[in-house]
Amino acid sequence: MELDAKRIAVIFKAFCDENRIKILQLLSDGEKCACKLLEEMQITQPTLSHHMKILCDSGIVEGRKEGKWMYYSISKKGTAYARMCFDALTASEHTKETQSCCEK
């Protein structure tokens, strides 16, 4: 399988911030309104918007607008793709130890 390095970088960028990890933990038990995330995270609205853009761009989180509020949830399709990318990147094609390419 050929992997798109730029897309994978966007996905893994989503996991590279403590606040985004906390947001994912809050979303792990179901959909949350942005107002609830703001309350739980104790961050400003512009900061939350920044993190949610990164999470949504990655495909890990999806948002839906209802009235004036945004509701966010973890995307099953997005997380499955992230797992597949991680597995593909870390899979070893060799089951036994190979000889070093550098001579001593």
Side-chain angles (χ1 to χ4, degrees):
M1 172 184 88
E2 190 164 329
L3 300 174
D4 179 350
K6 282 189 177 192
R7 183 163 181 215
I8 293 170
V10 170
I11 291 167
F12 287 101
K13 177 181 180 180
F15 297 109
C16 293
D17 182 89
E18 184 179 340
N19 284 318
R20 290 192 288 274
I21 297 300
K22 288 178 184 177
I23 291 167
L24 290 171
Q25 289 172 325
L26 289 170
L27 295 176
S28 68
D29 64 349
E31 183 180 73
K32 298 270 187 309
C33 177
C35 62
K36 186 66 172 171
L37 294 173
L38 279 170
E39 181 183 303
E40 293 285 333
M41 296 289 298
Q42 299 179 350
I43 57 177
T44 65
Q45 189 277 325
T47 300
L48 178 66
S49 291
H50 168 75
H51 290 304
M52 297 316 296
K53 178 172 179 8
I54 292 169
L55 288 166
C56 288
D57 286 351
S58 74
I60 301 297
V61 170
E62 51 195 10
R64 68 174 182 87
K65 190 167 178 85
E66 188 174 302
K68 67 176 186 170
W69 296 107
M70 282 297 292
Y71 291 83
Y72 296 99
S73 59
I74 293 176
S75 167
K76 290 183 182 190
K77 183 178 176 182
T79 54
Y81 183 75
R83 277 188 204 100
M84 191 238 359
C85 290
F86 182 79
D87 289 344
L89 287 170
T90 58
S92 176
E93 293 182 22
H94 307 286
T95 56
K96 53 185 171 182
E97 199 172 312
T98 60
Q99 183 176 345
S100 174
C101 63
C102 303
E103 296 186 45
K104 295 180 183 178

